[in-house]
Amino acid sequence: MEEAILEVKELNIEFHDHELPETVVSDLSFTLHKGEILGIVGESGSGKSMTALAIAGLLSRKDMEKRGEILFRGQNLLQCDRNMLRSFQGDEISMIFQEPMTSLNPVKKIGWQVEESLRIHHKELSKEECRKKALDILEGCELKPEVYDMYPHELSGGMRQRVMIASAMICDPEILIADEPTTALDVTIQEQIIHLLLKLNRKKHTSILFISHDLSLVRRLCENVIVMQHGVMVEQGSAEEIFAEPREDYTKVLTGSIPKVVLTEERRERLLRSLASGTSKTDPRQPLVKTDHLYSYYRQYGKGKVRKVGVLKDVSFEIRPGQVFGLVGESGSGKSTLAKALTGIVKDTKGEIVRPENGFAMIFQDPAGSLNPAKKVGWLLMEPLRIRGIRDKKEMQQRAIRMLEKVGLSAEYMDRYPNELSGGQRQRVCIGIALMQEATVLIADEPVSALDVTVQAQILKLLKDLKKEMDLSILFISHDLRVVYNMCDYVMIMKKGEIVEQARRDKIYFTPKQQYTKDLLNAAGLGDLSITNEIDQEK
Amino acid sequence: MRDVIRKLASMILTLLIVSFLVFLAFDLIPGDPAIAKLGTQATPEQVASLRAEWGLDRPFLIRYFDWLFSFVRGDMGYSYHFDRAVTELLSGKILITVTLVIMAFVMIVSVSIPMGIFAARHQGGALDKSIMVSNQLLMAIPPFFSGILITFLFGVGLSFFKPGSFVSYTQNFGGFLFYMIFPALAVAIPKIAMCVKLLRSSILEQWPMDYVRTAYSRGNRTMQVLYRHVLRNAMIPVVTFLGMTLADMVAGSIIIEKVFNIPGIGQILIKCIEYRDYPTVEAVVMLIAFLVVFVNFMVDIIYRILDPRMRQSS
């Protein structure tokens, strides 16, 4: 084992902004070694981000109490004075954050921001030397030198996160703290950022503290892992151990909540047979939803003329009764536009759209944002009934209560406001509202992306149960291939408004044809499941 | 650069529209300047001959274009009431009003920006609270009233200046500037209060932003975070406000000129409206319109400098 760089001893963080002090981190101890990548995993409220901020010296609220020791270079970062702390910040201990879109100053040039740590900590360097170093580190982070003179809004999310990494690495810090650095990014971009972090770790021997809720990501990146829950360390060990043989119950729940992607022997046989015969069974029933060579456009105003810009290009697909249709794509793939075109929100389309008789009901990604905060749950649940002209108050209430029970809540939630519910409960309410509309097809747009893994597993199970019980068809939009595998029968992959590939689920996952599908599977850590090679060998 | 040219073009178009509307409005308002000049006793023949002399008997559009072209050449027309060229009539007054507005503006910028920063830095402290309370009070005081208070306090009480005795800049430029401090202060006080409040809340709004945390993580001191990162972002709404204020003050100075007995544009505007001296009124309105449009143009330019995101859009 290499020497210890950072030692955290019995760290306690308490908030005193309410009557009773609230403990967000309690008795946390761990050691970060030179060149190590240490992962801290936990769900929201586990205290993982608080720990990261405390180490970076960014927790300085007056209503907070920090006890214990954070030892770096023989100094206790919790006790040493601000000047000493600042001399480490950006120079020896750097941090990158979750939101690359907002973590950079919007009115300053990229070069200026990347060089800032140099200007603060290495005053001896001339302007030219700073510039040279900045250009070097930008190149090291696989960015073009032109970026130096650009502003943040001119860059994509992935590029901005590279800029953040460049600005954090410019002084060759001992420790890089990465707080959910890829959560806001697309999977393929996420993969590139992870590779970049690994490269920097190997080249510069920087120790990385990697904070994440994404277990499969931590497993691929980190050597050692700390699992946290409610501010307490639950388990600590090598990543392989923790994922292969979790000792603690919570770790078991956590690892068990990751949707599994496995091909059973039976399904493998079936897949091989259908591949051999070259035909697949088609459902004789009429499709509920269908598009035929669908194109969609939006109007771009500017420079005096209006341009029609194509979003969807030649999209044809069908959803059969009872099917869970998975739609996978990164941002800009047109998956949300497709949902909007189906529901009629996007009107500028060309091509036939067949819609189900009683329309669509929708569930969105952000349950907090899609519920009116000024209305009680009961009122929200009854709204679809009111819109349909039902006036009988008793009947409406009864139906709302029955729906609450259906989505796993109880009658007492009728009088609660959305902000009194947890994220998972809110999403349950959203599902309830959607089902109250009595549509045959449910469009679920990233319904679990904003939720913690354990909650995510519960909501997915609920959706599956309801689907069976009420004979629903679902258009399930997601970027998460593991979740899609668990939910869907049929999968369609989109990129830049076009269909890349669509087929039965197992075909997509185990015998992907298109390179883009393979890239997506690789980024999700599912690349080695492909049996295409085996099939070729058998032939 | 192309954007700037496009902005300039739209600015000229705006001014043309304004000029047409102004001219039209004064044509439609009842009341004949010839009668106003000659008095109600005049015979119709006298009125008609004066109207012909002034060219009022020509069709509307011809009069408009005639007026517009001479305006562009710098000839603002002829004042019926004062029997002098409007240009000559206004030239001395414009300087006085512009001095008043500029002095007030300098006061607003130089007082409210440091004060806003200070209040934000010491948010919740005793000084911040007292600044906010006195702000609330000062905001509610209309300039003419603060003008009276200032006259009473600095003029009558402390005898810093002699109330009502305007010092002409041709006689004593220093004395003129000194006299103008007090009306400028009266105009500036409520605006300072508003600007302090706006800047303070704008800074506090920026403070929880992610980029501020990033700036701290690089080892910046609080003051460095404030001056190098936050201030420029926080100034964006303040610039809009300052622009509006500048335009607003030109109109607002009319009353304060009355209170301090300053022979500026405001005084003459009131007289000319009274005597239906339309060429002069039109000229003043056009000057104010030009100023407002120009200030807006400048605000747009400053916006582009402050916020790179503005440079692309449009």
Side-chain angles (χ1 to χ4, degrees):
Chain A
M1 201 54 131
E2 301 249 13
E3 57 169 323
I5 285 283
L6 180 87
E7 277 179 273
V8 175
K9 286 182 184 165
E10 286 171 23
L11 176 68
N12 282 274
I13 303 173
E14 272 173 19
F15 281 115
H16 292 277
D17 53 346
H18 296 291
E19 271 176 39
L20 286 172
E22 185 191 351
T23 308
V24 288
V25 175
S26 80
D27 288 334
L28 180 69
S29 303
F30 65 87
T31 307
L32 179 68
H33 298 93
K34 175 95 187 141
E36 181 187 7
I37 306 183
L38 176 65
I40 300 185
V41 186
E43 299 186 285
S44 40
S46 62
K48 58 189 192 304
S49 285
M50 286 293 156
T51 308
L53 290 172
I55 295 168
L58 296 174
L59 271 190
S60 55
R61 275 171 50 174
K62 288 199 182 75
D63 53 5
M64 183 166 35
E65 199 189 326
K66 291 166 286 185
R67 275 178 283 119
E69 284 175 277
I70 298 176
L71 293 174
F72 177 75
R73 293 268 159 90
Q75 295 280 338
N76 180 1
L77 297 184
L78 291 181
Q79 299 293 327
C80 71
D81 66 293
R82 289 269 296 145
N83 282 327
M84 176 62 88
L85 186 62
R86 255 205 330 273
S87 72
F88 294 138
Q89 282 176 334
D91 194 25
E92 299 288 3
I93 302 176
S94 284
M95 186 156 180
I96 56 175
F97 304 93
Q98 176 172 358
E99 289 295 338
M101 305 310 266
T102 54
S103 292
L104 291 165
N105 189 338
V107 302
K108 296 287 190 178
K109 281 187 180 171
I110 297 297
W112 188 90
Q113 303 197 45
V114 170
E115 283 169 11
E116 185 164 35
S117 296
L118 277 183
R119 279 197 306 274
I120 294 169
H121 301 289
H122 298 273
K123 295 201 173 71
E124 73 281 2
L125 292 175
S126 72
K127 236 177 161 182
E128 234 357 89
E129 287 169 311
C130 283
R131 191 186 145 83
K132 204 186 153 294
K133 279 201 148 201
L135 288 171
D136 280 350
I137 194 81
L138 284 174
E139 196 196 338
C141 292
E142 290 144 23
L143 286 162
K144 292 193 195 107
E146 290 93 277
V147 169
Y148 186 88
D149 284 314
M150 287 164 99
Y151 288 96
H153 72 275
E154 297 171 288
L155 307 179
S156 68
M159 286 163 86
R160 288 189 211 188
Q161 196 60 292
R162 285 167 196 272
V163 169
M164 278 301 288
I165 294 173
S167 85
M169 292 299 292
I170 195 159
C171 294
D172 274 328
E174 286 286 351
I175 301 169
L176 177 68
I177 302 167
D179 188 3
E180 303 264 11
T182 62
T183 310
L185 303 173
D186 276 330
V187 270
T188 47
I189 309 296
Q190 177 174 313
E191 193 64 12
Q192 294 164 10
I193 297 292
I194 293 300
H195 277 295
L196 176 60
L197 287 176
L198 274 172
K199 188 179 97 181
L200 292 171
N201 166 259
R202 291 208 188 107
K203 203 168 133 200
K204 310 207 169 192
H205 226 52
T206 314
S207 312
I208 299 180
L209 192 62
F210 189 82
I211 318 283
S212 182
H213 72 286
D214 187 336
L215 297 161
S216 42
L217 201 62
V218 170
R219 179 178 198 172
R220 281 188 291 145
L221 184 69
C222 304
E223 297 143 46
N224 294 305
V225 177
I226 290 169
V227 181
M228 284 182 75
Q229 183 194 23
H230 305 316
V232 181
M233 183 198 290
V234 177
E235 194 166 348
Q236 178 177 26
S238 80
E240 275 321 305
E241 259 172 47
I242 292 233
F243 288 100
E245 306 159 40
R247 290 186 303 270
E248 301 297 323
D249 287 343
Y250 178 70
T251 318
K252 283 178 194 157
V253 172
L254 212 53
T255 50
S257 298
I258 309 175
K260 300 272 178 305
V261 179
V262 251
L263 188 59
T264 57
E265 201 47 47
E266 179 196 348
R267 287 220 315 279
R268 186 190 150 95
E269 287 299 312
R270 215 192 306 160
L271 177 63
L272 289 175
R273 245 182 292 138
S274 93
L275 283 172
S277 66
T279 53
S280 51
K281 272 193 296 174
T282 43
D283 194 323
R285 288 179 291 177
Q286 280 296 313
L288 279 173
V289 182
K290 184 179 159 188
T291 67
D292 194 15
H293 302 289
L294 180 71
Y295 290 78
S296 91
Y297 310 91
Y298 75 92
R299 277 152 216 272
Q300 196 178 49
Y301 300 90
K303 305 265 173 208
K305 24 182 193 220
V306 183
R307 273 201 314 149
K308 262 187 155 188
V309 184
V311 185
L312 299 176
K313 294 172 202 107
D314 200 16
V315 174
S316 306
F317 74 100
E318 297 175 346
I319 301 178
R320 305 270 164 187
Q323 198 173 46
V324 182
F325 189 98
L327 177 52
V328 179
E330 299 185 285
S331 48
S333 63
K335 55 192 199 299
S336 289
T337 309
L338 181 57
K340 284 180 188 159
L342 288 177
T343 48
I345 297 170
V346 168
K347 292 194 176 69
D348 205 353
T349 57
K350 195 183 83 188
E352 190 197 3
I353 302 177
V354 176
R355 299 186 172 94
E357 246 171 70
N358 30 5
F360 297 98
M362 291 201 72
I363 315 169
F364 301 96
Q365 173 172 1
D366 178 13
S370 35
L371 293 172
N372 183 343
K375 297 291 182 189
K376 287 179 179 168
V377 168
W379 190 96
L380 292 165
L381 277 169
M382 289 186 280
E383 192 177 29
L385 299 179
R386 268 195 302 277
I387 290 168
R388 282 214 304 280
I390 296 171
R391 289 282 169 268
D392 183 356
K393 238 189 152 184
K394 256 235 164 93
E395 190 203 336
M396 289 205 294
Q397 241 157 15
Q398 275 173 357
R399 287 172 71 170
I401 290 172
R402 247 181 292 150
M403 185 53 74
L404 273 178
E405 282 159 1
K406 223 173 212 174
V407 295
L409 300 171
S410 56
E412 62 192 273
Y413 284 89
M414 289 287 281
D415 290 323
R416 301 259 180 101
Y417 286 99
N419 67 338
E420 298 170 316
L421 308 179
S422 69
Q425 287 169 335
R426 280 191 210 125
Q427 198 57 294
R428 282 171 194 269
V429 172
C430 288
I431 293 171
I433 295 170
L435 294 179
M436 286 299 251
Q437 298 166 28
E438 289 178 0
T440 29
V441 179
L442 196 62
I443 297 179
D445 193 353
E446 301 271 6
V448 293
S449 308
L451 304 174
D452 280 328
V453 266
T454 52
V455 183
Q456 183 174 320
Q458 293 160 12
I459 297 290
L460 290 176
K461 183 170 180 308
L462 173 72
L463 273 175
K464 270 190 198 166
D465 292 347
L466 289 170
K467 188 226 151 225
K468 235 182 243 160
E469 195 185 321
M470 306 176 71
D471 196 29
L472 293 169
S473 307
I474 303 176
L475 173 60
F476 191 92
I477 303 173
S478 179
H479 71 280
D480 189 330
L481 281 165
R482 287 172 187 274
V483 168
V484 167
Y485 186 85
N486 244 257
M487 278 300 295
C488 307
D489 318 310
Y490 195 91
V491 178
M492 177 160 97
I493 313 263
M494 285 184 74
K495 185 190 182 185
K496 291 183 181 154
E498 289 176 271
I499 298 174
V500 175
E501 194 168 356
Q502 60 172 325
R504 296 274 295 277
R505 179 190 66 181
D506 285 349
K507 255 191 192 168
I508 292 276
Y509 280 77
F510 302 107
T511 58
K513 291 213 171 56
Q514 303 297 324
Q515 187 53 45
Y516 182 65
T517 313
K518 288 175 194 164
D519 290 345
L520 283 182
L521 287 166
N522 278 330
L526 300 171
D528 41 7
L529 292 175
S530 167
I531 57 167
T532 316
N533 293 339
E534 296 171 42
I535 296 172
D536 290 346
Q537 277 168 11
E538 281 171 34
K539 274 177 191 167
Chain B
M1 198 56 218
R2 271 183 60 188
D3 277 348
V4 174
I5 291 166
R6 194 175 301 142
K7 275 261 165 335
L8 267 172
S10 84
M11 180 173 138
I12 290 165
L13 188 70
T14 315
L15 283 174
L16 279 177
I17 295 170
V18 169
S19 73
F20 183 77
L21 290 177
V22 166
F23 202 79
L24 184 68
F26 284 107
D27 203 62
L28 294 178
I29 293 174
D32 190 327
I35 296 176
K37 176 78 185 172
L38 296 170
T40 43
Q41 305 297 318
T43 62
E45 289 78 36
Q46 284 176 305
V47 172
S49 82
L50 190 59
R51 281 178 64 86
E53 192 193 317
W54 286 345
L56 290 174
D57 52 348
R58 292 172 302 161
F60 171 75
L61 277 179
I62 294 190
R63 275 185 288 133
Y64 169 67
F65 282 112
D66 186 37
W67 171 76
L68 184 68
F69 286 126
S70 34
F71 206 99
V72 173
R73 283 199 308 269
D75 172 11
M76 297 187 192
Y78 193 77
S79 164
Y80 305 145
H81 178 73
F82 293 98
D83 255 336
R84 284 161 73 187
V86 175
T87 320
E88 190 192 326
L89 187 66
L90 294 181
S91 62
K93 324 268 180 203
I94 290 176
L95 186 87
I96 296 173
T97 303
V98 166
T99 308
L100 174 66
V101 170
I102 289 177
M103 279 176 85
F105 190 71
V106 169
M107 284 180 194
I108 294 173
V109 172
S110 58
V111 174
S112 60
I113 290 178
M115 210 148 144
I117 294 171
F118 181 87
R121 286 257 300 126
H122 300 88
Q123 182 215 1
L127 264 167
D128 171 48
K129 275 181 188 149
S130 53
I131 287 177
M132 290 319 282
V133 169
S134 49
N135 256 352
Q136 213 65 35
L137 206 72
L138 294 175
M139 240 183 277
I141 301 177
F144 80 88
F145 188 64
S146 57
I148 294 170
L149 285 181
I150 285 170
T151 308
F152 188 73
L153 184 67
F154 294 108
V156 181
L158 296 169
S159 302
F160 282 0
F161 71 106
K162 221 167 131 203
S165 60
F166 173 72
V167 183
S168 170
Y169 59 92
T170 46
Q171 293 166 1
N172 176 357
F173 194 73
F176 161 70
L177 285 183
F178 184 75
Y179 185 84
M180 294 301 274
I181 289 176
F182 302 98
L185 193 63
V187 176
I189 281 176
K191 304 287 184 195
I192 288 174
M194 289 179 209
C195 195
V196 166
K197 191 177 164 139
L198 182 67
L199 181 59
R200 175 187 180 270
S201 67
S202 182
I203 291 173
L204 292 179
E205 224 169 83
Q206 294 291 326
W207 216 255
M209 298 253 183
D210 289 344
Y211 75 84
V212 173
R213 189 178 53 184
T214 307
Y216 271 116
S217 81
R218 293 189 189 131
N220 277 301
R221 288 162 201 278
T222 301
M223 289 310 253
Q224 290 169 327
V225 173
L226 177 65
Y227 286 107
R228 290 180 189 169
H229 287 270
V230 171
L231 200 55
R232 191 158 148 192
N233 283 290
M235 278 306 284
I236 292 168
V238 177
V239 166
T240 315
F241 174 79
L242 287 176
M244 289 192 305
T245 301
L246 198 55
D248 188 48
M249 279 194 305
V250 176
S253 63
I254 292 169
I255 295 165
I256 218 70
E257 282 176 10
K258 193 92 189 158
V259 173
F260 284 87
N261 193 25
I262 299 165
I265 298 269
Q267 292 259 40
I268 211 145
L269 184 65
I270 293 169
K271 260 185 214 150
C272 290
I273 292 172
E274 222 171 285
Y275 294 117
R276 302 189 187 288
D277 190 2
Y278 295 157
T280 316
V281 180
E282 280 161 0
V284 172
V285 172
M286 279 310 291
L287 283 177
I288 293 176
F290 174 77
L291 207 94
V292 171
V293 171
F294 179 71
V295 165
N296 268 322
F297 172 73
M298 287 311 289
V299 166
D300 264 356
I301 300 283
I302 296 174
Y303 244 56
R304 269 150 213 271
I305 295 168
L306 278 182
D307 190 349
R309 286 165 295 185
M310 299 293 292
R311 291 175 211 168
Q312 279 192 326
S313 58
S314 95

